[in-house]
Amino acid sequence: MIWAVLQCHRIMEEFLLLKFESHSAIIKEISMFILAERVDPDDVTQLKAEIKRLKEERHSPTERLNAHMEAFNELKRSFDNLKNEVGQLNLNKKPKINPKGGSRNGNGGGPSGNGGGST
């Protein structure tokens, strides 16, 4: 038992001198680990393709939303322009006076604004 403990100390001292990098026992274990845990290149290729597809899907709704927002903004500008044009037409339009003393729009036309009659 004492012999085994002394051997462990000797091997551990070799590991420490080589900083756990170049000892044959460590290299063997690292190589076995890499072989057991390696990733197949086909799996990496498939994962890259899947990531690319998911990124494209992620951008697709954003692009559609941007297109809808542009269309909405253009429609809003058109609506605002039409509203302004109607406002300008109403300002330029003068009320026509009815021969009976009232205006066409029914607001009256006389001094009191109630159709020309007195109150």
Side-chain angles (χ1 to χ4, degrees), residues 40-111:
D40 188 26
D42 291 338
D43 291 342
V44 173
T45 304
Q46 289 174 354
L47 287 173
K48 285 181 179 179
E50 181 73 11
I51 288 170
K52 183 179 178 182
R53 184 185 63 79
L54 290 172
K55 283 182 179 180
E56 289 171 357
E57 284 181 10
R58 183 188 72 190
H59 290 301
S60 178
T62 305
E63 291 169 358
R64 285 188 290 162
L65 178 63
N66 288 339
H68 287 300
M69 286 302 294
E70 287 176 21
F72 171 77
N73 288 334
E74 186 166 333
L75 288 172
K76 185 174 183 322
R77 278 191 301 274
S78 295
F79 174 75
D80 290 341
N81 289 340
L82 286 172
K83 199 163 67 170
N84 289 335
E85 287 178 19
V86 169
Q88 290 296 322
L89 288 174
N90 286 337
L91 288 176
N92 293 336
K93 183 179 170 183
K94 294 181 181 177
K96 295 185 180 180
I97 296 183
N98 207 350
K100 296 182 181 179
S103 70
R104 278 184 123 179
N105 58 12
N107 290 336

